[in-house]
């Protein structure tokens, strides 16, 4: 680790502060905000989010293939539940599968 002199500390603190601000901005971009997690969508908004037709959404609701909330005759979707539903269908790459196999073959100590 490099040693700094007392005179270099203010410049290093400024540099560190800029890097922290940059990291905070990156984290804000990739992490869902509270408003997005709790956002309630109607069927039209859900179809736009998922890029599916409204009729396809209704079909998936009838087949219980998609997370849904029903109140009376209306259906609603939580945005975070739809995003998690999409993520749950992710197909692993060959490299990920091979990595999982190698990991399971290693004896645990």
């Amino acid at each position: 680790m490099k040693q700094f002199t007392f005179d270099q500390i203010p410049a290093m603190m400024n540099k560190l502060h800029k890097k922290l601000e940059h990291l905070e901005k990156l984290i804000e971009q990739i992490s869902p905000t509270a408003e997005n997690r709790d956002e309630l969508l109607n069927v039209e908004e859900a179809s736009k989010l998922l890029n599916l037709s409204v009729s396809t959404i209704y079909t998936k609701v009838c087949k219980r293939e998609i997370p849904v909330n029903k109140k009376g005759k209306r259906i609603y979707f939580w945005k975070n539940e739809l995003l998690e539903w999409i993520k749950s269908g992710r197909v692993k790459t060959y490299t990920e599968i091979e990595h999982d196999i190698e990991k399971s073959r290693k004896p645990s100590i």
Side-chain angles (χ1 to χ4, degrees):
M1 181 184 243
K2 184 179 175 183
Q3 296 290 326
F4 299 102
T5 66
F6 184 76
D7 294 333
Q8 292 173 320
I9 291 175
M12 293 308 298
M13 290 298 292
N14 187 32
K15 188 175 182 179
L16 181 61
H17 180 63
K18 287 181 181 179
K19 286 185 177 188
L20 281 174
E21 284 181 335
H22 180 69
L23 285 172
E24 286 175 344
K25 287 178 184 175
L26 290 174
I27 290 170
E28 287 174 4
Q29 289 174 356
I30 62 172
S31 67
T33 61
E35 71 181 40
N36 286 344
R37 283 192 301 259
D38 296 332
E39 190 174 348
L40 192 62
L41 307 176
N42 62 30
V43 69
E44 290 84 12
E45 293 166 331
S47 74
K48 287 178 186 173
L49 175 69
L50 300 173
N51 199 25
L52 297 171
S53 69
V54 171
S55 61
T56 301
I57 297 288
Y58 280 117
T59 301
K60 290 190 176 299
V61 167
C62 288
K63 292 181 179 181
R64 296 180 183 256
E65 294 177 358
I66 191 169
V68 65
N69 296 282
K70 189 171 181 183
K71 189 68 176 175
K73 293 183 178 184
R74 297 191 180 259
I75 58 173
Y76 301 96
F77 304 89
W78 290 107
K79 184 175 183 177
N80 68 322
E81 288 181 350
L82 292 178
L83 295 174
E84 287 300 317
W85 174 72
I86 293 168
K87 290 177 188 176
S88 71
R90 185 180 179 278
V91 177
K92 290 185 175 184
T93 64
Y94 286 122
T95 305
E96 290 171 327
I97 294 169
E98 288 173 358
H99 182 266
D100 289 346
I101 292 170
E102 287 176 19
K103 206 161 107 177
S104 67
R105 289 183 181 167
K106 291 183 182 177
S108 58
I109 300 173

